[in-house]
Amino acid sequence: NAFSMCQNIKEITFPESIERIGLSAFPLINSIEKVNISSLKDWLEVEFEDDLSNPICGNRADLYIGGSKLTDLIIPDGITEIKEYAFFGCSSITSLTSGDDLTHIGREAFSDCKNLVKIDLQKGNVRVLKSGAFNGCEKLTELDAPFVVRIENSWDDCCESIEKINLPSLLYAHLSDFENTKWFDNQNDGIIYIGNMLLGYKGENPGNTVIEIKDGIISIADAALSDQKNIVSVTFPNSLKHIGYAVFYG
């Protein structure tokens, strides 16, 4: 709680030497409008102990890199991870593009980035989207992540604006990760697949529904066929390796 009583701070400038910010160092100081640091690499190396360690969080402050407001975030080559809470609440970011070496996006790294519209992870090898990584990104419309294998409750219902996805490698997810999105709304009724994963069933299935899962499907998402009371038969392909949690619950 290093700055807990400093309710009139409007601008913060960090030196390039900063490495770590402790627990709740900037607890909801709503007056902060601008955070400065000399380079993006310096910011990406900072470890935040929790969300309130980041002065951007809760303030919707803008992040300035070398004097310029950060809008289109392009991760430099050589950076392998985006740490937990790194851009939590950063209102200025509109897009994220990975670099050649990016492999990891930490928990709640982009939570509450209200103006983030597009995520492009075509470069690098990001395989897991951690819990809450994109919670509250209410303008997010496009997710292009060809190497992501697992989604761990990476966004919430605020991300219903998602309408375009590219997730050909996805194997582990929950139906609820997608069923409130525009992308899901635009799918035809019936079985919905993403890559080699059966995501779920959309719409009302008729009585005595028989499901034959198509060849090549490797996994079934958590809760994929829950509450589908009219299914009487399911045939699994020889390619199937993983059946998620509560797939047939209810």
Side-chain angles (χ1 to χ4, degrees):
N1 297 315
F3 297 93
S4 62
M5 303 300 292
C6 302
Q7 295 296 324
N8 294 313
I9 297 177
K10 293 185 179 298
E11 183 173 346
I12 295 174
T13 300
F14 289 108
E16 61 184 28
S17 58
I18 190 74
E19 295 179 351
R20 180 179 174 275
I21 301 176
L23 192 69
S24 298
F26 300 93
L28 298 176
I29 304 175
N30 297 323
S31 58
I32 299 174
E33 299 173 354
K34 185 177 181 180
V35 177
N36 305 284
I37 198 164
S38 58
S39 76
L40 181 57
K41 183 176 182 294
D42 291 336
W43 185 261
L44 289 166
E45 290 178 348
V46 178
E47 292 188 9
F48 300 97
E49 193 159 331
D50 68 354
D51 56 340
L52 297 180
S53 301
N54 189 333
I56 296 172
C57 174
N59 303 295
R60 311 292 187 269
D62 293 328
L63 179 62
Y64 283 74
I65 305 295
S68 299
K69 184 191 291 189
L70 181 64
T71 54
D72 297 310
L73 174 56
I74 301 174
I75 305 301
D77 294 342
I79 297 295
T80 60
E81 71 169 322
I82 300 174
K83 299 183 187 297
E84 294 181 355
Y85 315 114
F87 298 96
F88 194 123
C90 187
S91 62
S92 59
I93 294 177
T94 58
S95 67
L96 164 64
T97 303
S98 59
D100 286 338
D101 303 300
L102 187 66
T103 59
H104 178 80
I105 296 177
R107 183 164 58 97
E108 298 194 66
F110 294 91
S111 255
D112 229 17
C113 288
K114 298 295 187 183
N115 293 306
L116 181 62
V117 174
K118 181 180 179 181
I119 299 169
D120 181 351
L121 302 178
Q122 291 197 52
K123 293 183 177 180
N125 191 24
V126 177
R127 297 177 65 80
V128 178
L129 297 182
K130 289 290 187 177
S131 174
F134 301 101
N135 272 359
C137 296
E138 57 191 29
K139 293 184 180 178
L140 183 62
T141 61
E142 185 173 348
L143 174 59
D144 189 354
F147 305 111
V148 166
V149 174
R150 182 186 298 273
I151 291 175
E152 298 178 351
N153 297 317
S154 303
W155 51 76
D156 54 16
D157 289 349
C158 288
C159 295
E160 62 185 17
S161 58
I162 297 174
E163 57 187 0
K164 184 177 180 180
I165 64 171
N166 179 35
L167 294 163
S169 302
L170 188 63
L171 294 176
Y172 308 102
H174 194 289
L175 173 62
S176 63
D177 291 327
F178 296 93
E179 66 178 345
N180 293 315
T181 65
K182 288 184 178 178
W183 174 85
F184 191 88
D185 290 343
N186 290 332
Q187 304 305 303
N188 294 326
D189 284 358
I191 293 291
I192 297 175
Y193 299 98
I194 297 179
N196 293 319
M197 181 186 74
L198 190 159
L199 173 65
Y201 192 100
K202 180 187 175 188
E204 294 283 338
N205 56 53
N208 299 321
T209 298
V210 174
I211 292 178
E212 294 186 9
I213 300 173
K214 68 181 183 180
D215 292 339
I217 292 302
I218 296 175
S219 70
I220 301 176
D222 295 345
L225 300 173
S226 60
D227 294 323
Q228 297 294 335
K229 301 183 184 301
N230 292 323
I231 296 174
V232 296
S233 173
V234 178
T235 301
F236 300 123
N238 291 331
S239 56
L240 188 68
K241 295 182 178 180
H242 171 80
I243 297 176
Y245 170 77
V247 168
F248 298 102
Y249 183 81

